[in-house]
Amino acid sequence: MKWAGLCNGEPAAQWPADDRSAALGDGLFETILVRNSKPIWLEEHLQRMAAGCVKIALNFPVEKLRGEVTTLLGSVPVSDYAVLRIALGRKSGGARGYAPVSREANRLLQLASIERARRDYWDGGIKAFICQTRLPEAASTAGLKHNNRLAHILARAERPTATYPEGLMLSQSGLLLEGVSSNVFLVIDGALHTPSLELAGVEGIVRQKIMALAKQLAIPCYVRRVKLSDIYRAQEMFFCNSLTGIWPVRSLDCLHFAAPELTRKLQSKLEAVWYA
C-alpha cells in the first residue's frame, strides 16, 4: 500500500516537522472507505471530526477538507477498494512543550488502494482474543478518534493478525469497550448490547448505523456498561468498522458462539456497502 496525499492542500504524504500531532498525538483522524473513487459516509466522518475538534479546542476547516478530498480523489487513480485517511494536527505556533498555543490545524489527507474486505471473515466469522493491554478511562477523550493510538498498537501486537483478526479491549476497570480497530456488539436473548463509551473508546460510524438499523427493524438495542461476565450470557458477538464491515465472532479465546442469526440479518442490510 503506497500513500498519495495532500498536506495543507499541497502534494505531500507526511506532517510538517513541527506538527504537534506527529510529536505529541495532538489531533484527530478519520479512516474512510472509498469505493469507485467515492468516499463512503464522508459527511458522517466529518461530523464526528467536527465534534472532536470542539472537545480539543481545534478549529475545524471543513470547507478546505471537502475541497481537498475532491482534489485528491480526482487526481490519484485507485482501485475499486481504497482507504482515505483525513487527519488534523495542531500547529505548534512556534512553541514547544505540552501547552497548546494555537487552535489552527495542519490538514493531512492520505489515499491508497487496499485489498477488498475479507469475505471469508464476513461469511464464516473470526477467532478473536481478549487483549491484555487495557485502555485508560478518561472522559475528556472518550469517543474521540484521536491521534494517540499507542494502547491499540500494543494490543494488536499481542497476537498474530492472520490467526486472530481482531482483539477485544477492556478498560482499566475491566469493562468491555471495543475491538482494537472496531466497535463490538453482543446479542443476548434477541437484543443488541454495545458498550457505553463515556469513559473510553471510539464512537464508530458503523456502530451508529447499526443502532439506527436496529431501531428500524424493532430490534432492542442497549447502550450500557458491559462487563466481561456479560459475554457468557451472549449467544452472538460481532465486531464492526467502516473498512471491513461486520465480522461475526466464532470464538473468543476458549469461548464459542452460536450461529450468528441476528448478525446475519444486520449484515444483509449493509452488505452492499462493502461487496456490491
Side-chain angles (χ1 to χ4, degrees), residues 55 136-144 197-201 225:
K55 292 188 74 171
E137 296 174 352
S140 59
T141 58
L144 295 179
L197 303 176
E198 81 270 23
L199 297 177
R225 293 191 177 188

Side-chain angles (χ1 to χ4, degrees), residues 9-273:
E10 299 296 327
Q14 60 189 14
W15 292 111
D18 66 343
D19 182 84
R20 284 174 58 91
S21 177
L24 301 171
D26 186 0
L28 304 167
F29 75 100
E30 296 289 330
T31 305
I32 302 167
L33 176 65
V34 176
R35 299 291 313 276
N36 298 311
S37 296
K38 178 183 177 182
I40 306 301
W41 297 321
L42 175 63
E43 288 306 311
E44 287 89 336
H45 282 280
L46 292 177
Q47 289 167 16
R48 179 171 65 180
M49 180 170 270
C53 283
V54 171
K55 292 188 74 171
I56 68 170
L58 197 65
N59 291 342
F60 183 52
V62 62
E63 294 307 323
K64 289 182 178 179
L65 288 175
R66 286 199 182 101
E68 288 163 3
V69 167
T70 300
T71 297
L72 186 59
L73 291 175
S75 62
V76 178
V78 292
S79 64
D80 167 60
Y81 206 79
V83 59
L84 170 66
R85 191 177 192 275
I86 300 175
L88 298 179
R90 192 184 308 273
K91 293 184 177 182
S92 70
R96 65 171 305 278
Y98 291 133
V101 299
S102 174
R103 293 179 60 101
E104 297 302 312
N106 289 306
R107 308 177 308 280
L108 182 64
L109 279 67
Q110 298 168 302
L111 179 67
S113 295
I114 56 174
E115 293 183 359
R116 181 182 294 271
R118 292 281 300 261
R119 186 69 199 229
D120 54 332
Y121 292 165
W122 176 282
D123 290 336
I126 64 167
K127 293 173 64 177
F129 68 101
I130 298 175
C131 303
Q132 297 301 307
T133 304
R134 296 198 173 190
L135 286 172
E137 296 174 352
S140 59
T141 58
L144 295 179
K145 202 169 178 70
H146 55 74
N147 288 340
N148 190 334
R149 299 283 108 187
L150 183 57
H152 298 78
I153 291 168
L154 295 174
R156 182 59 274 179
E158 291 177 17
R159 301 277 184 96
T161 305
T163 307
Y164 296 93
E166 187 55 294
L168 178 65
M169 298 195 73
L170 310 180
S171 72
Q172 291 288 352
S173 62
L175 295 172
L176 269 68
L177 286 179
E178 60 187 3
V180 176
S181 304
S182 62
N183 289 116
V184 64
F185 284 81
L186 302 178
V187 178
I188 301 174
D189 299 329
L192 290 170
H193 298 253
T194 193
S196 169
L197 303 176
E198 81 270 23
L199 297 177
V202 175
E203 298 274 2
I205 302 301
V206 179
R207 176 177 180 267
Q208 296 172 12
K209 296 291 181 182
I210 288 173
M211 290 192 292
L213 183 58
K215 185 175 181 179
Q216 294 174 18
L217 298 175
I219 299 170
C221 183
Y222 303 101
V223 180
R224 62 180 181 84
R225 293 191 177 188
V226 180
K227 300 178 181 178
L228 190 57
S229 59
D230 289 319
I231 293 178
Y232 298 98
R233 300 170 48 221
Q235 293 80 48
E236 303 175 36
M237 176 179 176
F238 64 85
F239 293 106
C240 61
N241 77 18
S242 58
L243 289 186
T244 61
I246 299 172
W247 285 353
V249 176
R250 296 197 317 268
S251 64
L252 180 70
D253 289 328
C254 62
L255 184 65
H256 295 266
F257 293 93
E261 295 181 9
L262 194 150
T263 305
R264 295 295 186 215
K265 182 181 294 187
L266 297 170
Q267 284 180 316
S268 69
K269 300 297 183 181
L270 294 170
E271 183 174 3
V273 173

